[in-house]
Amino acid sequence: PPLITDLDPVFGNRVMLGSSATQAAATLAAIAGDDKELSATVYYQDLRELPVDAITGATPISANGGEESGGLLGVSRELVDSQFGSYSFREPVGTGHAYGVELIARRNVGAWTGWIAYTYARSYRTNPTRDDVAHPYVLDQPHALTVVGTTELGRWRLGGRFRYVSGNPYTPVAGAYQKSSGDWVAVDGPILSQRLPAFIQLDLRVDRGWLRPWGTAGTMNLYIDLQNVVNRRNAEGVTYNKDYTHLSYTAGLPIFPSIGVEYIP
């Protein structure tokens, strides 16, 4: 159950019980010696008693007012709730389901080692306090592709990783109106009907290891990481101007270099 239950005396249930799920998965793997491996995994989840917003209509979800808003604030709220149990204004009446397939291929060729992983995954949630219709989960990402490769260059090792992931869904603004106070209020479009641009990132790493010259056996490893080599501005959320006539994306980290030393026992 959540660590912090709902404290609101009007909306939501003060006693939030834990959610439940039925899960099933099956894997088929083929390993050919030490240099080739193929595997496929399919799974399905049925989710019940999920905590969902007890909708009041006070704040449009397209303005990042709830878990179904999508974008940066909606995702952040979902992650904080999941990690710390900080639920508020919730009822444990939500349901959901998720399914997918993951394919992995690994191969060694000479000094090169690499693998490719592709996942097709869908996740849906239903909030009966809103419309009792299944909508994509705020973290639903149908396609995820990862390609990793490393090779030895003398005493050094060079590696790279490429990732492609579908963008998270978000609820767009369909329009806006101005109150007598002068404040603008957004009008929701279809719930979680649009997606952020895809996440694409290329990372490189160079490292070298030395046997530790003192004490018991171990390795000191010097590494240089360069994340987001192409300096792509991956969208992590959406923001609007004051009257909701212009949408802009909140970008993630730019190119990010790091250097360090690690000890491997």
Side-chain angles (χ1 to χ4, degrees), residues 27 140 159 161 231:
T27 299
D140 176 65
R161 176 181 63 182
N231 199 31

Side-chain angles (χ1 to χ4, degrees), residues 142-235:
H143 303 285
L145 173 68
T146 302
V147 181
V148 174
T150 64
T151 187
E152 301 287 343
L153 297 174
R155 297 182 179 181
W156 293 84
R157 183 171 57 201
L158 173 65
R161 176 181 63 182
F162 172 80
R163 288 179 291 166
Y164 172 93
V165 184
S166 301
N168 289 324
Y170 69 93
T171 299
V173 169
Y177 63 91
Q178 192 173 25
K179 299 191 298 184
S180 58
S181 62
D183 295 331
W184 287 88
V185 178
V187 176
D188 294 335
I191 297 176
L192 297 172
S193 59
Q194 294 190 15
R195 287 188 178 274
L196 299 174
F199 174 92
I200 301 175
Q201 185 165 306
L202 175 64
D203 306 322
L204 296 178
R205 176 185 173 105
V206 179
D207 61 69
R208 179 182 174 180
W210 291 267
L211 290 177
R212 197 177 71 172
W214 69 89
T216 59
T219 302
M220 303 298 296
N221 193 55
L222 169 69
Y223 66 87
I224 302 172
D225 274 335
L226 192 60
Q227 298 185 33
N228 195 13
V229 174
V230 298
N231 199 31
R232 177 180 169 86
R233 292 179 56 84
N234 286 302

